Amino acid sequence: DDVLTQSPLSLPVTLGQPASISCRSRQSLVFSDGITYLTWFQQRPGQSPRRLIYKVSNRDSGVPDRFSGSGSRTDFTLKISRVEAEDVGVYYCMQGTRWPLTFGQGTRLEIK
Amino acid sequence: VQLLESGGGLVQPGGSLRLSCVASGFTFSNYAMGWVRQAPGKGLQWVSDISGSGGDTFYADSVRGRFTISRDNSKNTLYLQLNSLRVEDTALYFCAKEAGPESYGHLDSWGHGTLVTVSS
């Protein structure tokens, strides 16, 4: 299975400051079609997951532009340029390149 | 897009349940669908996916042979039959929509989940 390792697992951030979450895979996540199926989800407290970013860097409709995704092959990053109170929750990366689909452990973002 | 799960509940080890997910707001048969679960206080775990036609199915090793995914496109409904349930199957089960009929690993919309508790 493709193990995804996120860091940090806990991320205390001051309002208005940037935040960064890493997601690493042991194997390249580039599919045979040349596309990298790496996705980021946000799960706010008490809510179901919401997709933020797909194919490494494409923001979903309605996702604020302070969220951005980057990376390639095995190393990926989710960045929040200026954290707001509504960003509190757990963030997961997921790979869709190979079966089984796998998620990172999750990174809990909290406000300092 | 709306996805509404139901069918969860309390069941004894070894028992069975059938989960349902009714979809609306999109042409159901044009999209593959999946199930993802989340044990209490834990992370997300993919369980199963099915193609838009229902002809192709995929399972996590932990559930293969015990769970069966299916769909009824005439009823816009996705199902997950859970058999031989174990305590470790206790989780909130989400259904999620994929990006196309045979396009997997996208999970672009999620339901609110239905809770399955396996306990004696």
Side-chain angles (χ1 to χ4, degrees), chain A residues 1 37 39 41 43 48-49 51 55 60 92 94 96 99-101 103 105, chain B residues 36 38 42-44 46 49 58 94 98 104-108 110-112:
Chain A
D1 294 4
Y37 294 96
T39 303
F41 296 93
Q43 188 175 29
S48 53
R51 196 178 71 172
K55 297 178 190 176
D60 269 277
Y92 297 92
M94 183 196 78
W99 299 109
L101 308 183
F103 291 88
Q105 319 98 300
Chain B
V36 176
Q38 186 170 36
K42 301 296 184 182
L44 301 172
W46 172 76
D49 256 55
F58 307 87
F94 298 100
E98 294 282 19
Y104 307 100
H106 302 278
L107 305 178
D108 59 19
W110 296 59
H112 292 291

PDB file of all heavy atoms in Angstrom, chain A residues 1 37 39 41 43 48-49 51 55 60 92 94 96 99-101 103 105, chain B residues 36 38 42-44 46 49 58 94 98 104-108 110-112:
ATOM      1  N   ASP A   1       0.834  -1.194   0.000  1.00  0.00           N
ATOM      2  CA  ASP A   1       0.000   0.000   0.000  1.00  0.00           C
ATOM      3  C   ASP A   1       0.879   1.258   0.000  1.00  0.00           C
ATOM      4  O   ASP A   1       1.994   1.250   0.524  1.00  0.00           O
ATOM      5  CB  ASP A   1      -0.898   0.032   1.242  1.00  0.00           C
ATOM      6  CG  ASP A   1      -1.925  -1.080   1.256  1.00  0.00           C
ATOM      7  OD1 ASP A   1      -1.894  -1.931   0.328  1.00  0.00           O
ATOM      8  OD2 ASP A   1      -2.740  -1.107   2.180  1.00  0.00           O
ATOM      9  N   TYR A  37      -2.238  12.036  -8.787  1.00  0.00           N
ATOM     10  CA  TYR A  37      -3.532  12.084  -8.108  1.00  0.00           C
ATOM     11  C   TYR A  37      -3.339  12.232  -6.593  1.00  0.00           C
ATOM     12  O   TYR A  37      -3.550  11.294  -5.820  1.00  0.00           O
ATOM     13  CB  TYR A  37      -4.355  10.850  -8.464  1.00  0.00           C
ATOM     14  CG  TYR A  37      -4.746  10.826  -9.925  1.00  0.00           C
ATOM     15  CD1 TYR A  37      -4.002  10.115 -10.872  1.00  0.00           C
ATOM     16  CD2 TYR A  37      -5.831  11.575 -10.370  1.00  0.00           C
ATOM     17  CE1 TYR A  37      -4.338  10.130 -12.214  1.00  0.00           C
ATOM     18  CE2 TYR A  37      -6.179  11.592 -11.714  1.00  0.00           C
ATOM     19  CZ  TYR A  37      -5.425  10.870 -12.626  1.00  0.00           C
ATOM     20  OH  TYR A  37      -5.765  10.894 -13.953  1.00  0.00           O
ATOM     21  N   THR A  39      -4.574  14.535  -3.414  1.00  0.00           N
ATOM     22  CA  THR A  39      -5.718  15.351  -3.016  1.00  0.00           C
ATOM     23  C   THR A  39      -5.580  15.771  -1.560  1.00  0.00           C
ATOM     24  O   THR A  39      -5.025  15.035  -0.743  1.00  0.00           O
ATOM     25  CB  THR A  39      -7.012  14.528  -3.186  1.00  0.00           C
ATOM     26  OG1 THR A  39      -7.121  14.084  -4.544  1.00  0.00           O
ATOM     27  CG2 THR A  39      -8.251  15.330  -2.813  1.00  0.00           C
ATOM     28  N   PHE A  41      -7.896  17.214   1.779  1.00  0.00           N
ATOM     29  CA  PHE A  41      -9.219  17.389   2.355  1.00  0.00           C
ATOM     30  C   PHE A  41      -9.106  18.163   3.667  1.00  0.00           C
ATOM     31  O   PHE A  41      -8.112  18.058   4.386  1.00  0.00           O
ATOM     32  CB  PHE A  41      -9.871  16.035   2.667  1.00  0.00           C
ATOM     33  CG  PHE A  41     -10.130  15.183   1.460  1.00  0.00           C
ATOM     34  CD1 PHE A  41      -9.195  14.249   1.056  1.00  0.00           C
ATOM     35  CD2 PHE A  41     -11.300  15.310   0.744  1.00  0.00           C
ATOM     36  CE1 PHE A  41      -9.417  13.454  -0.064  1.00  0.00           C
ATOM     37  CE2 PHE A  41     -11.546  14.516  -0.374  1.00  0.00           C
ATOM     38  CZ  PHE A  41     -10.595  13.584  -0.774  1.00  0.00           C
ATOM     39  N   GLN A  43     -11.346  18.643   7.250  1.00  0.00           N
ATOM     40  CA  GLN A  43     -12.468  18.175   8.058  1.00  0.00           C
ATOM     41  C   GLN A  43     -12.593  19.072   9.285  1.00  0.00           C
ATOM     42  O   GLN A  43     -11.802  18.962  10.229  1.00  0.00           O
ATOM     43  CB  GLN A  43     -12.312  16.714   8.468  1.00  0.00           C
ATOM     44  CG  GLN A  43     -13.564  16.155   9.135  1.00  0.00           C
ATOM     45  CD  GLN A  43     -13.479  14.673   9.436  1.00  0.00           C
ATOM     46  OE1 GLN A  43     -12.410  14.125   9.661  1.00  0.00           O
ATOM     47  NE2 GLN A  43     -14.626  13.992   9.421  1.00  0.00           N
ATOM     48  N   SER A  48     -18.260  16.483   7.897  1.00  0.00           N
ATOM     49  CA  SER A  48     -17.676  15.500   6.991  1.00  0.00           C
ATOM     50  C   SER A  48     -16.522  16.154   6.235  1.00  0.00           C
ATOM     51  O   SER A  48     -16.425  17.384   6.170  1.00  0.00           O
ATOM     52  CB  SER A  48     -18.740  14.964   6.032  1.00  0.00           C
ATOM     53  OG  SER A  48     -19.409  16.012   5.382  1.00  0.00           O
ATOM     54  N   PRO A  49     -15.630  15.358   5.668  1.00  0.00           N
ATOM     55  CA  PRO A  49     -14.513  15.926   4.917  1.00  0.00           C
ATOM     56  C   PRO A  49     -14.991  16.729   3.711  1.00  0.00           C
ATOM     57  O   PRO A  49     -16.038  16.440   3.124  1.00  0.00           O
ATOM     58  CB  PRO A  49     -13.717  14.690   4.484  1.00  0.00           C
ATOM     59  CG  PRO A  49     -14.073  13.644   5.482  1.00  0.00           C
ATOM     60  CD  PRO A  49     -15.526  13.904   5.803  1.00  0.00           C
ATOM     61  N   ARG A  51     -13.312  18.350   0.057  1.00  0.00           N
ATOM     62  CA  ARG A  51     -12.124  18.392  -0.792  1.00  0.00           C
ATOM     63  C   ARG A  51     -11.709  19.839  -1.014  1.00  0.00           C
ATOM     64  O   ARG A  51     -12.540  20.688  -1.345  1.00  0.00           O
ATOM     65  CB  ARG A  51     -12.378  17.694  -2.124  1.00  0.00           C
ATOM     66  CG  ARG A  51     -11.096  17.362  -2.873  1.00  0.00           C
ATOM     67  CD  ARG A  51     -11.363  16.638  -4.167  1.00  0.00           C
ATOM     68  NE  ARG A  51     -11.950  17.513  -5.175  1.00  0.00           N
ATOM     69  CZ  ARG A  51     -12.132  17.163  -6.448  1.00  0.00           C
ATOM     70  NH1 ARG A  51     -11.773  15.945  -6.852  1.00  0.00           N
ATOM     71  NH2 ARG A  51     -12.670  18.000  -7.308  1.00  0.00           N
ATOM     72  N   LYS A  55      -5.405  16.831  -7.741  1.00  0.00           N
ATOM     73  CA  LYS A  55      -4.272  16.762  -8.685  1.00  0.00           C
ATOM     74  C   LYS A  55      -3.182  17.735  -8.289  1.00  0.00           C
ATOM     75  O   LYS A  55      -2.722  18.563  -9.095  1.00  0.00           O
ATOM     76  CB  LYS A  55      -4.742  17.005 -10.119  1.00  0.00           C
ATOM     77  CG  LYS A  55      -5.715  15.959 -10.625  1.00  0.00           C
ATOM     78  CD  LYS A  55      -6.175  16.297 -12.042  1.00  0.00           C
ATOM     79  CE  LYS A  55      -7.315  15.420 -12.480  1.00  0.00           C
ATOM     80  NZ  LYS A  55      -7.838  15.785 -13.814  1.00  0.00           N
ATOM     81  N   ASP A  60     -10.571  23.485  -5.433  1.00  0.00           N
ATOM     82  CA  ASP A  60     -11.978  23.245  -5.705  1.00  0.00           C
ATOM     83  C   ASP A  60     -12.754  24.552  -5.697  1.00  0.00           C
ATOM     84  O   ASP A  60     -12.339  25.552  -5.081  1.00  0.00           O
ATOM     85  CB  ASP A  60     -12.571  22.288  -4.664  1.00  0.00           C
ATOM     86  CG  ASP A  60     -12.456  20.842  -5.098  1.00  0.00           C
ATOM     87  OD1 ASP A  60     -13.333  20.394  -5.862  1.00  0.00           O
ATOM     88  OD2 ASP A  60     -11.488  20.182  -4.685  1.00  0.00           O
ATOM     89  N   TYR A  92      -6.198  16.220   5.660  1.00  0.00           N
ATOM     90  CA  TYR A  92      -5.716  14.920   5.196  1.00  0.00           C
ATOM     91  C   TYR A  92      -5.255  15.017   3.749  1.00  0.00           C
ATOM     92  O   TYR A  92      -5.930  15.635   2.919  1.00  0.00           O
ATOM     93  CB  TYR A  92      -6.828  13.866   5.236  1.00  0.00           C
ATOM     94  CG  TYR A  92      -7.379  13.558   6.600  1.00  0.00           C
ATOM     95  CD1 TYR A  92      -8.483  14.242   7.100  1.00  0.00           C
ATOM     96  CD2 TYR A  92      -6.824  12.545   7.383  1.00  0.00           C
ATOM     97  CE1 TYR A  92      -9.009  13.936   8.346  1.00  0.00           C
ATOM     98  CE2 TYR A  92      -7.341  12.233   8.633  1.00  0.00           C
ATOM     99  CZ  TYR A  92      -8.431  12.937   9.102  1.00  0.00           C
ATOM    100  OH  TYR A  92      -8.943  12.629  10.341  1.00  0.00           O
ATOM    101  N   MET A  94      -4.513  12.497   0.410  1.00  0.00           N
ATOM    102  CA  MET A  94      -4.948  11.195  -0.090  1.00  0.00           C
ATOM    103  C   MET A  94      -4.344  10.960  -1.464  1.00  0.00           C
ATOM    104  O   MET A  94      -4.263  11.893  -2.266  1.00  0.00           O
ATOM    105  CB  MET A  94      -6.478  11.138  -0.209  1.00  0.00           C
ATOM    106  CG  MET A  94      -7.011   9.777  -0.666  1.00  0.00           C
ATOM    107  SD  MET A  94      -8.717   9.812  -1.241  1.00  0.00           S
ATOM    108  CE  MET A  94      -8.503  10.493  -2.891  1.00  0.00           C
ATOM    109  N   GLY A  96      -4.713   8.901  -5.041  1.00  0.00           N
ATOM    110  CA  GLY A  96      -5.655   8.164  -5.877  1.00  0.00           C
ATOM    111  C   GLY A  96      -4.966   7.535  -7.080  1.00  0.00           C
ATOM    112  O   GLY A  96      -5.614   7.199  -8.064  1.00  0.00           O
ATOM    113  N   TRP A  99      -4.557   1.519  -6.245  1.00  0.00           N
ATOM    114  CA  TRP A  99      -5.378   0.851  -5.244  1.00  0.00           C
ATOM    115  C   TRP A  99      -4.463   0.192  -4.218  1.00  0.00           C
ATOM    116  O   TRP A  99      -3.423  -0.352  -4.568  1.00  0.00           O
ATOM    117  CB  TRP A  99      -6.240  -0.240  -5.889  1.00  0.00           C
ATOM    118  CG  TRP A  99      -7.195   0.239  -6.912  1.00  0.00           C
ATOM    119  CD1 TRP A  99      -7.124   0.034  -8.259  1.00  0.00           C
ATOM    120  CD2 TRP A  99      -8.378   1.044  -6.683  1.00  0.00           C
ATOM    121  NE1 TRP A  99      -8.181   0.646  -8.877  1.00  0.00           N
ATOM    122  CE2 TRP A  99      -8.975   1.279  -7.938  1.00  0.00           C
ATOM    123  CE3 TRP A  99      -8.985   1.586  -5.552  1.00  0.00           C
ATOM    124  CZ2 TRP A  99     -10.152   2.002  -8.096  1.00  0.00           C
ATOM    125  CZ3 TRP A  99     -10.150   2.314  -5.709  1.00  0.00           C
ATOM    126  CH2 TRP A  99     -10.720   2.513  -6.961  1.00  0.00           C
ATOM    127  N   PRO A 100      -4.859   0.222  -2.942  1.00  0.00           N
ATOM    128  CA  PRO A 100      -6.028   0.905  -2.386  1.00  0.00           C
ATOM    129  C   PRO A 100      -5.779   2.395  -2.239  1.00  0.00           C
ATOM    130  O   PRO A 100      -4.640   2.837  -2.060  1.00  0.00           O
ATOM    131  CB  PRO A 100      -6.174   0.248  -1.010  1.00  0.00           C
ATOM    132  CG  PRO A 100      -4.770  -0.075  -0.610  1.00  0.00           C
ATOM    133  CD  PRO A 100      -4.080  -0.479  -1.886  1.00  0.00           C
ATOM    134  N   LEU A 101      -6.850   3.175  -2.316  1.00  0.00           N
ATOM    135  CA  LEU A 101      -6.722   4.594  -2.002  1.00  0.00           C
ATOM    136  C   LEU A 101      -6.247   4.705  -0.555  1.00  0.00           C
ATOM    137  O   LEU A 101      -6.724   3.985   0.317  1.00  0.00           O
ATOM    138  CB  LEU A 101      -8.069   5.298  -2.142  1.00  0.00           C
ATOM    139  CG  LEU A 101      -8.826   5.111  -3.462  1.00  0.00           C
ATOM    140  CD1 LEU A 101     -10.116   5.932  -3.460  1.00  0.00           C
ATOM    141  CD2 LEU A 101      -7.955   5.472  -4.653  1.00  0.00           C
ATOM    142  N   PHE A 103      -4.935   7.420   2.767  1.00  0.00           N
ATOM    143  CA  PHE A 103      -4.921   8.751   3.364  1.00  0.00           C
ATOM    144  C   PHE A 103      -3.711   8.891   4.275  1.00  0.00           C
ATOM    145  O   PHE A 103      -3.225   7.909   4.846  1.00  0.00           O
ATOM    146  CB  PHE A 103      -6.167   8.962   4.221  1.00  0.00           C
ATOM    147  CG  PHE A 103      -7.456   9.055   3.461  1.00  0.00           C
ATOM    148  CD1 PHE A 103      -8.179   7.909   3.166  1.00  0.00           C
ATOM    149  CD2 PHE A 103      -7.965  10.282   3.066  1.00  0.00           C
ATOM    150  CE1 PHE A 103      -9.375   7.981   2.466  1.00  0.00           C
ATOM    151  CE2 PHE A 103      -9.166  10.368   2.365  1.00  0.00           C
ATOM    152  CZ  PHE A 103      -9.875   9.218   2.064  1.00  0.00           C
ATOM    153  N   GLN A 105      -2.208  10.446   7.918  1.00  0.00           N
ATOM    154  CA  GLN A 105      -2.759  10.302   9.278  1.00  0.00           C
ATOM    155  C   GLN A 105      -3.616  11.483   9.702  1.00  0.00           C
ATOM    156  O   GLN A 105      -4.399  11.392  10.650  1.00  0.00           O
ATOM    157  CB  GLN A 105      -1.639  10.148  10.319  1.00  0.00           C
ATOM    158  CG  GLN A 105      -0.489   9.264   9.906  1.00  0.00           C
ATOM    159  CD  GLN A 105       0.673  10.097   9.384  1.00  0.00           C
ATOM    160  OE1 GLN A 105       0.517  10.828   8.400  1.00  0.00           O
ATOM    161  NE2 GLN A 105       1.823   9.976  10.032  1.00  0.00           N
TER     162      GLN A 105
ATOM    163  N   VAL B  36     -16.003   5.555   2.492  1.00  0.00           N
ATOM    164  CA  VAL B  36     -14.849   5.811   3.342  1.00  0.00           C
ATOM    165  C   VAL B  36     -15.342   5.773   4.782  1.00  0.00           C
ATOM    166  O   VAL B  36     -16.437   6.251   5.068  1.00  0.00           O
ATOM    167  CB  VAL B  36     -14.230   7.196   3.032  1.00  0.00           C
ATOM    168  CG1 VAL B  36     -13.074   7.504   3.998  1.00  0.00           C
ATOM    169  CG2 VAL B  36     -13.739   7.253   1.590  1.00  0.00           C
ATOM    170  N   GLN B  38     -14.502   6.211   9.184  1.00  0.00           N
ATOM    171  CA  GLN B  38     -13.689   6.916  10.177  1.00  0.00           C
ATOM    172  C   GLN B  38     -14.044   6.372  11.555  1.00  0.00           C
ATOM    173  O   GLN B  38     -15.152   6.614  12.057  1.00  0.00           O
ATOM    174  CB  GLN B  38     -13.948   8.426  10.106  1.00  0.00           C
ATOM    175  CG  GLN B  38     -13.059   9.249  11.000  1.00  0.00           C
ATOM    176  CD  GLN B  38     -13.181  10.744  10.703  1.00  0.00           C
ATOM    177  OE1 GLN B  38     -14.255  11.254  10.385  1.00  0.00           O
ATOM    178  NE2 GLN B  38     -12.065  11.453  10.785  1.00  0.00           N
ATOM    179  N   LYS B  42     -10.437   8.796  15.056  1.00  0.00           N
ATOM    180  CA  LYS B  42      -9.328   8.375  14.187  1.00  0.00           C
ATOM    181  C   LYS B  42      -9.414   9.039  12.817  1.00  0.00           C
ATOM    182  O   LYS B  42     -10.273   9.880  12.565  1.00  0.00           O
ATOM    183  CB  LYS B  42      -9.362   6.842  14.021  1.00  0.00           C
ATOM    184  CG  LYS B  42      -9.260   6.082  15.326  1.00  0.00           C
ATOM    185  CD  LYS B  42      -7.942   6.311  16.026  1.00  0.00           C
ATOM    186  CE  LYS B  42      -7.839   5.441  17.278  1.00  0.00           C
ATOM    187  NZ  LYS B  42      -6.573   5.695  18.009  1.00  0.00           N
ATOM    188  N   GLY B  43      -8.505   8.629  11.938  1.00  0.00           N
ATOM    189  CA  GLY B  43      -8.436   9.207  10.601  1.00  0.00           C
ATOM    190  C   GLY B  43      -9.350   8.519   9.606  1.00  0.00           C
ATOM    191  O   GLY B  43     -10.181   7.679   9.958  1.00  0.00           O
ATOM    192  N   LEU B  44      -9.188   8.897   8.348  1.00  0.00           N
ATOM    193  CA  LEU B  44     -10.025   8.382   7.272  1.00  0.00           C
ATOM    194  C   LEU B  44      -9.433   7.106   6.682  1.00  0.00           C
ATOM    195  O   LEU B  44      -8.214   7.008   6.501  1.00  0.00           O
ATOM    196  CB  LEU B  44     -10.156   9.444   6.173  1.00  0.00           C
ATOM    197  CG  LEU B  44     -10.748  10.776   6.610  1.00  0.00           C
ATOM    198  CD1 LEU B  44     -10.645  11.800   5.480  1.00  0.00           C
ATOM    199  CD2 LEU B  44     -12.197  10.613   7.056  1.00  0.00           C
ATOM    200  N   TRP B  46     -10.241   4.476   3.385  1.00  0.00           N
ATOM    201  CA  TRP B  46     -11.033   4.085   2.227  1.00  0.00           C
ATOM    202  C   TRP B  46     -11.486   2.634   2.390  1.00  0.00           C
ATOM    203  O   TRP B  46     -10.719   1.776   2.831  1.00  0.00           O
ATOM    204  CB  TRP B  46     -10.208   4.247   0.957  1.00  0.00           C
ATOM    205  CG  TRP B  46     -10.878   3.694  -0.252  1.00  0.00           C
ATOM    206  CD1 TRP B  46     -11.913   4.253  -0.940  1.00  0.00           C
ATOM    207  CD2 TRP B  46     -10.582   2.452  -0.894  1.00  0.00           C
ATOM    208  NE1 TRP B  46     -12.272   3.427  -1.983  1.00  0.00           N
ATOM    209  CE2 TRP B  46     -11.473   2.318  -1.975  1.00  0.00           C
ATOM    210  CE3 TRP B  46      -9.660   1.436  -0.653  1.00  0.00           C
ATOM    211  CZ2 TRP B  46     -11.459   1.217  -2.826  1.00  0.00           C
ATOM    212  CZ3 TRP B  46      -9.637   0.340  -1.501  1.00  0.00           C
ATOM    213  CH2 TRP B  46     -10.533   0.229  -2.576  1.00  0.00           C
ATOM    214  N   ASP B  49     -14.956   1.139  -3.684  1.00  0.00           N
ATOM    215  CA  ASP B  49     -15.417   1.959  -4.796  1.00  0.00           C
ATOM    216  C   ASP B  49     -16.158   1.099  -5.808  1.00  0.00           C
ATOM    217  O   ASP B  49     -15.921  -0.114  -5.903  1.00  0.00           O
ATOM    218  CB  ASP B  49     -14.233   2.639  -5.491  1.00  0.00           C
ATOM    219  CG  ASP B  49     -14.073   4.112  -5.162  1.00  0.00           C
ATOM    220  OD1 ASP B  49     -13.981   4.442  -3.961  1.00  0.00           O
ATOM    221  OD2 ASP B  49     -14.040   4.917  -6.100  1.00  0.00           O
ATOM    222  N   PHE B  58     -14.065  -2.358  -6.160  1.00  0.00           N
ATOM    223  CA  PHE B  58     -12.737  -2.353  -5.558  1.00  0.00           C
ATOM    224  C   PHE B  58     -12.903  -2.309  -4.043  1.00  0.00           C
ATOM    225  O   PHE B  58     -13.800  -1.625  -3.543  1.00  0.00           O
ATOM    226  CB  PHE B  58     -11.947  -1.121  -6.025  1.00  0.00           C
ATOM    227  CG  PHE B  58     -11.906  -0.968  -7.519  1.00  0.00           C
ATOM    228  CD1 PHE B  58     -12.916  -0.291  -8.189  1.00  0.00           C
ATOM    229  CD2 PHE B  58     -10.876  -1.514  -8.262  1.00  0.00           C
ATOM    230  CE1 PHE B  58     -12.906  -0.160  -9.570  1.00  0.00           C
ATOM    231  CE2 PHE B  58     -10.849  -1.386  -9.645  1.00  0.00           C
ATOM    232  CZ  PHE B  58     -11.871  -0.708 -10.284  1.00  0.00           C
ATOM    233  N   PHE B  94     -18.949   7.106   5.436  1.00  0.00           N
ATOM    234  CA  PHE B  94     -19.316   8.158   4.498  1.00  0.00           C
ATOM    235  C   PHE B  94     -19.424   7.590   3.093  1.00  0.00           C
ATOM    236  O   PHE B  94     -18.589   6.768   2.683  1.00  0.00           O
ATOM    237  CB  PHE B  94     -18.231   9.245   4.439  1.00  0.00           C
ATOM    238  CG  PHE B  94     -17.974   9.972   5.720  1.00  0.00           C
ATOM    239  CD1 PHE B  94     -16.899   9.642   6.525  1.00  0.00           C
ATOM    240  CD2 PHE B  94     -18.785  11.033   6.107  1.00  0.00           C
ATOM    241  CE1 PHE B  94     -16.628  10.327   7.694  1.00  0.00           C
ATOM    242  CE2 PHE B  94     -18.531  11.734   7.276  1.00  0.00           C
ATOM    243  CZ  PHE B  94     -17.457  11.373   8.075  1.00  0.00           C
ATOM    244  N   GLU B  98     -17.247  10.178  -6.988  1.00  0.00           N
ATOM    245  CA  GLU B  98     -16.019  10.280  -7.751  1.00  0.00           C
ATOM    246  C   GLU B  98     -16.204  11.257  -8.919  1.00  0.00           C
ATOM    247  O   GLU B  98     -17.239  11.925  -9.018  1.00  0.00           O
ATOM    248  CB  GLU B  98     -15.598   8.896  -8.242  1.00  0.00           C
ATOM    249  CG  GLU B  98     -15.194   7.935  -7.110  1.00  0.00           C
ATOM    250  CD  GLU B  98     -13.792   8.223  -6.586  1.00  0.00           C
ATOM    251  OE1 GLU B  98     -13.264   9.327  -6.805  1.00  0.00           O
ATOM    252  OE2 GLU B  98     -13.220   7.325  -5.935  1.00  0.00           O
ATOM    253  N   TYR B 104     -11.468   7.284 -10.495  1.00  0.00           N
ATOM    254  CA  TYR B 104     -11.424   6.963  -9.069  1.00  0.00           C
ATOM    255  C   TYR B 104     -10.378   7.793  -8.337  1.00  0.00           C
ATOM    256  O   TYR B 104      -9.465   8.343  -8.929  1.00  0.00           O
ATOM    257  CB  TYR B 104     -11.095   5.467  -8.904  1.00  0.00           C
ATOM    258  CG  TYR B 104     -12.001   4.566  -9.683  1.00  0.00           C
ATOM    259  CD1 TYR B 104     -11.596   4.030 -10.906  1.00  0.00           C
ATOM    260  CD2 TYR B 104     -13.273   4.262  -9.223  1.00  0.00           C
ATOM    261  CE1 TYR B 104     -12.437   3.206 -11.635  1.00  0.00           C
ATOM    262  CE2 TYR B 104     -14.117   3.440  -9.946  1.00  0.00           C
ATOM    263  CZ  TYR B 104     -13.703   2.902 -11.146  1.00  0.00           C
ATOM    264  OH  TYR B 104     -14.537   2.093 -11.876  1.00  0.00           O
ATOM    265  N   GLY B 105     -10.542   7.835  -7.024  1.00  0.00           N
ATOM    266  CA  GLY B 105      -9.555   8.522  -6.197  1.00  0.00           C
ATOM    267  C   GLY B 105      -9.713  10.021  -6.163  1.00  0.00           C
ATOM    268  O   GLY B 105      -8.739  10.744  -5.945  1.00  0.00           O
ATOM    269  N   HIS B 106     -10.952  10.500  -6.381  1.00  0.00           N
ATOM    270  CA  HIS B 106     -11.202  11.933  -6.383  1.00  0.00           C
ATOM    271  C   HIS B 106     -12.053  12.361  -5.204  1.00  0.00           C
ATOM    272  O   HIS B 106     -11.759  13.353  -4.558  1.00  0.00           O
ATOM    273  CB  HIS B 106     -11.858  12.344  -7.695  1.00  0.00           C
ATOM    274  CG  HIS B 106     -11.029  11.997  -8.888  1.00  0.00           C
ATOM    275  ND1 HIS B 106      -9.989  12.788  -9.317  1.00  0.00           N
ATOM    276  CD2 HIS B 106     -11.052  10.932  -9.719  1.00  0.00           C
ATOM    277  CE1 HIS B 106      -9.421  12.235 -10.379  1.00  0.00           C
ATOM    278  NE2 HIS B 106     -10.042  11.099 -10.632  1.00  0.00           N
ATOM    279  N   LEU B 107     -13.141  11.653  -4.949  1.00  0.00           N
ATOM    280  CA  LEU B 107     -13.988  11.882  -3.764  1.00  0.00           C
ATOM    281  C   LEU B 107     -14.313  13.360  -3.603  1.00  0.00           C
ATOM    282  O   LEU B 107     -13.980  13.974  -2.579  1.00  0.00           O
ATOM    283  CB  LEU B 107     -13.302  11.304  -2.536  1.00  0.00           C
ATOM    284  CG  LEU B 107     -12.923   9.820  -2.641  1.00  0.00           C
ATOM    285  CD1 LEU B 107     -12.209   9.349  -1.374  1.00  0.00           C
ATOM    286  CD2 LEU B 107     -14.165   8.970  -2.916  1.00  0.00           C
ATOM    287  N   ASP B 108     -14.973  13.936  -4.591  1.00  0.00           N
ATOM    288  CA  ASP B 108     -15.177  15.378  -4.616  1.00  0.00           C
ATOM    289  C   ASP B 108     -16.369  15.859  -3.808  1.00  0.00           C
ATOM    290  O   ASP B 108     -16.469  17.059  -3.533  1.00  0.00           O
ATOM    291  CB  ASP B 108     -15.238  15.914  -6.050  1.00  0.00           C
ATOM    292  CG  ASP B 108     -16.342  15.279  -6.868  1.00  0.00           C
ATOM    293  OD1 ASP B 108     -17.287  14.707  -6.285  1.00  0.00           O
ATOM    294  OD2 ASP B 108     -16.249  15.333  -8.117  1.00  0.00           O
ATOM    295  N   TRP B 110     -19.052  14.592  -0.365  1.00  0.00           N
ATOM    296  CA  TRP B 110     -19.241  13.608   0.706  1.00  0.00           C
ATOM    297  C   TRP B 110     -20.598  13.799   1.374  1.00  0.00           C
ATOM    298  O   TRP B 110     -21.096  14.913   1.481  1.00  0.00           O
ATOM    299  CB  TRP B 110     -18.163  13.784   1.773  1.00  0.00           C
ATOM    300  CG  TRP B 110     -16.769  13.516   1.322  1.00  0.00           C
ATOM    301  CD1 TRP B 110     -16.084  14.140   0.304  1.00  0.00           C
ATOM    302  CD2 TRP B 110     -15.856  12.580   1.881  1.00  0.00           C
ATOM    303  NE1 TRP B 110     -14.813  13.647   0.210  1.00  0.00           N
ATOM    304  CE2 TRP B 110     -14.637  12.688   1.174  1.00  0.00           C
ATOM    305  CE3 TRP B 110     -15.919  11.660   2.940  1.00  0.00           C
ATOM    306  CZ2 TRP B 110     -13.520  11.905   1.465  1.00  0.00           C
ATOM    307  CZ3 TRP B 110     -14.811  10.884   3.240  1.00  0.00           C
ATOM    308  CH2 TRP B 110     -13.622  11.007   2.505  1.00  0.00           C
ATOM    309  N   GLY B 111     -21.147  12.690   1.861  1.00  0.00           N
ATOM    310  CA  GLY B 111     -22.326  12.756   2.707  1.00  0.00           C
ATOM    311  C   GLY B 111     -21.922  13.042   4.145  1.00  0.00           C
ATOM    312  O   GLY B 111     -20.730  13.250   4.450  1.00  0.00           O
ATOM    313  N   HIS B 112     -22.906  13.036   5.042  1.00  0.00           N
ATOM    314  CA  HIS B 112     -22.644  13.317   6.449  1.00  0.00           C
ATOM    315  C   HIS B 112     -22.299  12.075   7.254  1.00  0.00           C
ATOM    316  O   HIS B 112     -21.853  12.183   8.393  1.00  0.00           O
ATOM    317  CB  HIS B 112     -23.844  14.027   7.086  1.00  0.00           C
ATOM    318  CG  HIS B 112     -24.034  15.417   6.554  1.00  0.00           C
ATOM    319  ND1 HIS B 112     -23.160  16.445   6.826  1.00  0.00           N
ATOM    320  CD2 HIS B 112     -24.978  15.941   5.753  1.00  0.00           C
ATOM    321  CE1 HIS B 112     -23.563  17.545   6.220  1.00  0.00           C
ATOM    322  NE2 HIS B 112     -24.663  17.265   5.554  1.00  0.00           N
TER     323      HIS B 112
END
